[in-house]
Amino acid sequence: MLFLEKLAAVGPTIKDICNVSGIAGVSLGILHNNEIVHTASFGYADVERNVLCDSDTTFVLGSLSKAMTAAILGSLHDDGIITSWDSQLQTILPEFHREDIYGEITLTDLLTHRTGLAPLDALWLASDNVPFLTRSDALQILNGAPGVQPFRSHFLYNNFAYEILGQVIEKLSNSTFSEALQKFLLDPLGMTGTCYTGESRHTEAKPYAALEDASVVPIAPALVGDNVLMGPAGGVRSSVNDLLILYKAFMKAAHDDLAMYTDTEAPSRPQSPIRSVRQLWHGKVPLPSSSPREHSYAFSWARAQLPSILTPGDDGPSELNPIVGSGTSSRLVLYYGGNIPRFSTYNALFPETNSAVVVLMNSMSLNDGIRWIGELLVEALFDNLQNAPDYRLLAQKAVERSLARFRATKKSLAAGRTVETPSRDLSTYVGSYQNAAGNFFLRIQLNQAKDGFQVSYMGRRRDTFDLTPYQEDSFYWALTYDETVKLARDPNSPPEFFILKFSSGDTDSSGIACLWWMHEPDLPEPGEIFAKINQNLNEDAVEL
């Protein structure tokens, strides 16, 4: 078939994208008409040992895990254990309690990211992919998270929502999340290469970070260990071969459900492990889009009608936001992407032709390399390469844009400085500062030379950074690009993330009572307050 030749022919382009982007290894697979028509792998699962990627290499899925979490909830709903998708969270987990409108959060609100609560991602993942918090902290975070959008009015991505949904699964199924995953999905579908955070496979790819020159360095793995925070949101490990099994089952369940919906006398079919698929795939929340075609969010699936820009929120077509499927017939796509330092994942399902594209890689690239590879494969699958952009050129320009944005952040911080020396003695700022929930602190300490001072997030040595005077009673810290990614940190944080603003509060101006940190762009100015406390939290901090 001609399109199979075109799928194979994009291999050199994918290699070029990998080289430009700093991608250590990538595996991909394509379903069409319910059959696996193409698989390929490029680069290394383990660079140091020269182990090549293949279709059985397992990758941390990041947010592709969320569809599995939603599918388990679909089974619990189908079994009658969940009586309504509109069940309020507080009726299932009474530990969740708020006095405002956000206290009415339901399962659907969590599944569709429409709670309106600040995501607070900076509070859970430390350097080296170590969670700052534990799973027991998640409900407390949700209890205290500020509402930054009106309730049920906007799509606002929230990883804590899916951590909480994992805890809902555990409560209602009387099992661990890992056991529920095995029972409802992995065993019935024969997904033997898929596992959860507490397990490991000899086929698991090592994670890598791309440096400025596109070379890669190994970093610490993400979401490892039993009962780790955010496992239900991003911790499942799987391979291309197993995901093709899963997505084939999703599409079969959708077709069976449609047949029963349109023909009430259709013969019954064996029960699929994927249940309540009509609800799982039904668009609930509009996604920001310039297109007049559908673009909505279901239960951990983005829905779009091609031709479309395939990103959850766009300002219209641009050089780095191309329209996928331009010039082809309109078709429904359900797609998603996952990023967990340093793994990136991509899927796109086309139920009308029983087609799917899966791409997995073990690097956080200098650009959105996984997206460009995935969209290139979609265009090849539907024989539309003649209308597709030059993805090689797009990948190169995206790298240049990404590095320029990082440099602009550092330049902005330097340009914003109005003081060279602090307005107070450094010892005035020294101390521990804790948030209102009491589960996160920053320690301000003198450096070893006693001629400057540092911020230490949660007392972690690897999250301790030298502070530079910025403006009156405010300071900032900064790293180089390579230093940032070697710590598995996000290099795309805005300038405000790095600034700490100290205040005397209601006390006299001779002392410092609190600091403000804008760790989340959606927080109102000047950010979250951390009160200075008398207790020395240094001894309580656990070095991880």
Side-chain angles (χ1 to χ4, degrees), residues 350-416:
F350 303 88
E352 292 155 314
T353 54
N354 287 305
S355 306
V357 172
V358 178
V359 188
L360 308 176
M361 71 186 197
N362 60 340
S363 306
M364 251 340 215
S365 60
L366 287 164
N367 54 18
D368 203 0
I370 191 97
R371 177 185 172 189
W372 312 137
I373 293 172
E375 292 183 2
L376 172 66
L377 292 170
V378 170
E379 299 285 25
L381 172 62
F382 293 110
D383 195 17
N384 195 46
L385 289 174
Q386 72 277 8
N387 293 318
D390 183 340
Y391 280 102
R392 287 188 183 94
L393 180 61
L394 193 152
Q396 179 61 57
K397 289 186 175 182
V399 169
E400 294 167 0
R401 182 80 60 87
S402 175
L403 293 176
R405 183 170 57 244
F406 181 87
R407 292 168 188 144
T409 294
K410 294 195 69 175
K411 184 177 180 180
S412 172
L413 288 168

Side-chain angles (χ1 to χ4, degrees), residues 137-149:
D137 293 312
L139 275 170
Q140 191 177 17
I141 289 288
L142 214 63
N143 283 336
V148 294
Q149 293 287 356

